[in-house]
Amino acid sequence: MMMTKNNIIYAALFLMFGAINVSAQNSSDFVEDIRAEESVMSAPIEETASQKASDRFQADPIMRYASLGISVMDINTLHEVSACNSTIADIPASTMKTVTCASAIGILGPEYRFSTYVKLQGNKNSDGVFTGKIIVEGGGDPTLDSKHFEREQGFCENITGALKAQGIKSVVGKIEVITSPAVDAYSANWPLDDIVWDYGAGAFLFNYADNCFTMSFSMEGDMVTLTKCRPEIPGVTLRNEITYISPKSGVPVSGIEAYRDINSNEIVLTGFTQLKSKKTTSGYTLSIPNPAEYFKKALASYLNANGVKFVEKEGVTTSDAATELTVYYSPTLSDIAQSALERSDNMFTECILRAIGYKRYNVWSEKVSIRDVKKFWEARGLSSGALFMNDGSGLSRRNKISARFLATLLSKAQTTGLGADFDYASILPVAGVNGTVKPLLQDTQYQGSFAVKSGSMGEVLCYAGLYPVENPKYAIVILTNNFSTNYRGMRKRIQDFLLELLPTLDVNSK
C-alpha cells in the first residue's frame, strides 16, 4: 500500500509523540528534577553590568573551545544576577570539597568529633606485665599525628601514658589495629596512577601521620637504590622499570614517575631518562600503602623508648573481654573541614565524606555517604539532578556539577541549610590571603574580601565561594573546562572577570 505525503507526516507525528509519551512515563525522576530546578530559577536575567561581565568572559577567544559555567546568585532570594551556561554540568575539581564539607557539617554538626578507641585484651600480673593485645579501633580520624594539627601529634604518647596509669610496665603480645579494607579507602573513580602520590592518599578507617611519607632513591647508571624513607615505612621496595635513552635518539626525556597498586608496598619507577654516570639522589612525597602497619611499628618503638617495654609475641590468646584503655577525640569537624578546604586536602575530605555513612550506619563507605549527601540537599529543596558526585574531594574526573546547583548549595549552606546559624564562609579560604586561592585578587582592592575554594586539574580551573567574607550576600561559582591557555593565563582571566563583576555587586547591595 502506498503512503501519501499526509500519511507519512501523520505517522511521523504519531511516532514522535508516542515516543515522548513513553519517555515521559519512564522519566518521572528527571521531570521532578526539572521542576525542582525551576523552583530556584530566577526571572530572566537583565542585561545588567553584572551580566555583561559574564558575557564578555564567554566571548573571550581563550574560551572558544571551552566549557564555561557561571552563576552569581543572591543568597537570600536565590536570584541569579549574572549567569552563563549555569545549568550545564562541568568538572568541578576540588570545588567539590565545598559540597562535601557543607554536607557533613549539616548532617553531623560542626562540633562532631572522630573518636579512636584503644582497648586492652589480656591480663596484667603483679609485676606490671601485661600479656595480650593492645587493640586500636579506627574511627576514621584523619588528624592522628597530623603535621597540620599540632595538638594531635601525641597519639603514641597518649597510649603510653594510659598504660603507665594502669601500672603496666611491659607488654607481651600484639598491637592490633581495626581498619577498613584498602578498597574502601580509595574512590573507585580515581585514576590508579594517582594513589601513589601524597594527594592520592587513601582515606582508611585508621589513618596516621597524614598517610604520607618521603622516599629518597639514588641513581647511578641503570641502578636505582632506595636510600631512605621518612618516616620509616615497613616493607616498601622499589622496582626499576625506567627506560634509559641515548641523548642522540631524539626521544624526549619525560622524567621519572612512580606507580603503586592499591594493595602493594612496591613502588614502581617508570618514565624515560638518560643514564646517570654519576650518583644522583631524588625524593618524592608519596602515600603510605598501609597506615595501620606503619603505626604498629611506630607505637612499639615509642613504648620501648618511653618506659614501657614491648615484646611482640605471636600466638598469645586470651578469653578476656577487651576493656577500654583510652579514647582519643579529634578536633571538631568544622576545624578539620577548614584545614581541608584551605589546603585542598583530598584524604581529609574523603574521611569527612565517609564519616557520614559511618556515623549513621556504621559503614565506612563512599557510595553510602554520597547517597545521604544527595538526600540531605533534596530535603532542603535542592534537586540533585545537576550533581554527579563520584568522590568527596574532586579528584575524580567523573564528577560533574552545574554552576547554578553549586551556587544554590552555597547559598543555602550560608543561610539556613546547615542550621545553628553556622557561618560557612568563615571556614573557606580567602582570596589573596591563604590557601590555594592566595594568588587570586592579591594586591587588588578586593584582596581578603572573597571567601572561595579553588579547584584545578588538567584543563580545569574553577572557583566557588561567598562574597563578601563578612555577612555574605552572593554566591559566586566559576567553572572553566578545556580552555585554550595555561593555568596562569586562565587565573588572570578569571581575576579580570571578578574585578569587573565585584564592583557591580557592591552597587547592587547598596
Side-chain angles (χ1 to χ4, degrees):
M1 176 177 124
M2 294 184 60
M3 295 186 70
T4 66
K5 182 177 180 181
N6 285 342
N7 286 338
I8 293 172
I9 293 172
Y10 293 149
L13 290 171
F14 175 81
L15 290 172
M16 181 176 71
F17 285 107
I20 290 173
N21 185 53
V22 171
S23 175
Q25 290 175 354
N26 294 329
S27 305
S28 59
D29 291 342
F30 175 75
V31 172
E32 288 304 314
D33 284 345
I34 293 295
R35 289 172 179 166
E37 180 86 11
E38 289 174 346
S39 71
V40 297
M41 286 177 61
S42 61
I45 298 174
E46 299 176 4
E47 193 62 18
T48 60
S50 301
Q51 184 58 37
K52 287 178 181 178
S54 293
D55 293 342
R56 274 189 282 271
F57 192 172
Q58 185 179 30
D60 193 298
I62 65 173
M63 305 306 294
R64 181 176 180 180
Y65 306 109
S67 177
L68 172 64
I70 296 174
S71 180
V72 183
M73 183 175 288
D74 183 311
I75 68 171
N76 293 305
T77 66
L78 303 184
H79 171 80
E80 282 185 320
V81 300
S82 183
C84 172
N85 302 322
S86 65
T87 61
I88 303 300
D90 291 307
I91 298 172
S94 283
T95 59
M96 182 63 80
K97 291 180 172 69
T98 62
V99 176
T100 301
C101 291
S103 304
I105 289 170
I107 295 169
L108 303 175
E111 298 302 313
Y112 173 82
R113 297 176 188 266
F114 294 88
S115 55
T116 306
Y117 288 84
V118 183
K119 298 179 179 181
L120 296 179
Q121 186 176 26
N123 57 78
K124 181 188 72 172
N125 66 18
S126 58
D127 295 325
V129 178
F130 175 82
T131 302
K133 296 178 183 178
I134 300 175
I135 302 172
V136 180
E137 296 182 353
D141 186 353
T143 71
L144 292 175
D145 275 1
S146 169
K147 66 183 178 181
H148 305 295
F149 281 90
E150 186 176 347
R151 188 188 75 81
E152 307 310 306
Q153 297 177 5
F155 187 48
C156 291
E157 180 182 2
N158 182 279
I159 295 172
T160 304
L163 290 169
K164 288 181 177 180
Q166 292 201 11
I168 296 174
K169 299 176 182 178
S170 63
V171 175
V172 178
K174 294 177 64 177
I175 300 170
E176 183 178 296
V177 178
I178 299 174
T179 185
S180 60
V183 290
D184 292 334
Y186 300 94
S187 170
N189 299 292
W190 285 5
L192 282 176
D193 53 1
D194 280 344
I195 68 168
V196 69
W197 303 105
D198 54 345
Y199 66 83
F204 295 85
L205 194 56
F206 180 84
N207 308 285
Y208 191 69
D210 300 307
N211 295 353
C212 292
F213 74 106
T214 301
M215 178 192 76
S216 299
F217 59 94
S218 62
M219 301 177 60
E220 188 170 7
D222 61 354
M223 297 295 294
V224 176
T225 306
L226 178 64
T227 55
K228 187 179 289 186
C229 288
R230 295 190 301 269
E232 185 177 345
I233 308 299
V236 170
T237 60
L238 280 181
R239 176 153 57 98
N240 180 11
E241 291 191 359
I242 298 169
T243 300
Y244 297 95
I245 58 176
S246 166
K248 299 179 181 179
S249 68
V251 177
V253 174
S254 64
I256 299 172
E257 295 291 329
Y259 177 85
R260 174 176 65 79
D261 284 329
I262 286 178
N263 293 303
S264 176
N265 286 338
E266 182 181 61
I267 310 296
V268 182
L269 298 179
T270 64
F272 294 87
T273 190
Q274 297 174 11
L275 288 171
K276 306 295 182 181
S277 58
K278 294 183 179 180
K279 188 174 182 179
T280 61
T281 302
S282 298
Y284 294 141
T285 301
L286 305 176
S287 63
I288 295 176
N290 191 328
E293 290 301 312
Y294 163 51
F295 165 74
K296 289 192 288 187
K297 298 290 184 183
L299 177 58
S301 177
Y302 191 91
L303 290 172
N304 282 317
N306 291 275
V308 179
K309 185 178 179 180
F310 177 77
V311 179
E312 186 170 8
K313 186 176 180 180
E314 295 292 336
V316 174
T317 59
T318 175
S319 60
D320 299 310
T323 59
E324 185 176 299
L325 175 68
T326 186
V327 186
Y328 204 80
Y329 294 103
S330 74
T332 65
L333 177 57
S334 60
D335 286 342
I336 297 173
Q338 183 172 21
S339 177
L341 290 166
E342 180 177 333
R343 297 178 298 100
S344 204
D345 191 305
N346 293 333
M347 187 273 283
F348 269 45
T349 312
E350 294 297 337
C351 287
I352 290 170
L353 173 66
R354 286 161 175 76
I356 296 170
Y358 189 67
K359 173 65 175 178
R360 304 184 89 181
Y361 314 107
N362 199 33
V363 176
W364 189 252
S365 167
E366 174 187 67
K367 289 184 178 180
V368 169
S369 297
I370 288 173
R371 181 197 66 184
D372 277 20
V373 166
K374 293 182 177 182
K375 286 183 176 180
F376 176 79
W377 292 108
E378 286 168 354
R380 283 150 185 79
L382 183 56
S383 164
S384 62
L387 173 64
F388 302 86
M389 189 174 187
N390 288 281
D391 69 10
S393 60
L395 185 57
S396 171
R397 293 188 75 93
R398 291 188 62 191
N399 289 314
K400 301 286 193 304
I401 196 169
S402 76
R404 177 181 291 172
F405 176 93
L406 187 48
T408 309
L409 185 148
L410 290 171
S411 298
K412 288 179 177 288
Q414 184 63 29
T415 52
T416 60
L418 305 187
D421 298 322
F422 184 78
D423 182 10
Y424 192 46
S426 69
I427 69 169
L428 291 171
V430 178
V433 176
N434 60 0
T436 57
V437 296
K438 189 172 183 179
L440 185 69
L441 297 175
Q442 198 169 47
D443 300 324
T444 73
Q445 62 177 319
Y446 289 100
Q447 177 175 328
S449 67
F450 184 22
V452 59
K453 178 74 188 77
S454 67
S456 64
M457 56 173 56
E459 294 80 45
V460 175
L461 184 58
C462 305
Y463 292 92
L466 294 158
Y467 176 80
V469 171
E470 301 293 335
N471 190 26
K473 295 180 174 60
Y474 298 95
I476 302 174
V477 177
I478 307 161
L479 307 176
T480 66
N481 291 190
N482 307 318
F483 40 82
S484 300
T485 184
N486 56 28
Y487 286 108
R488 180 177 294 182
M490 191 70 249
R491 187 171 63 231
K492 182 181 185 305
R493 184 61 188 89
I494 291 173
Q495 176 166 295
D496 290 344
F497 165 68
L498 288 170
L499 290 175
E500 182 179 359
L501 172 74
L502 296 180
T504 70
L505 302 183
D506 292 341
V507 170
N508 291 342
S509 299
K510 292 180 180 178

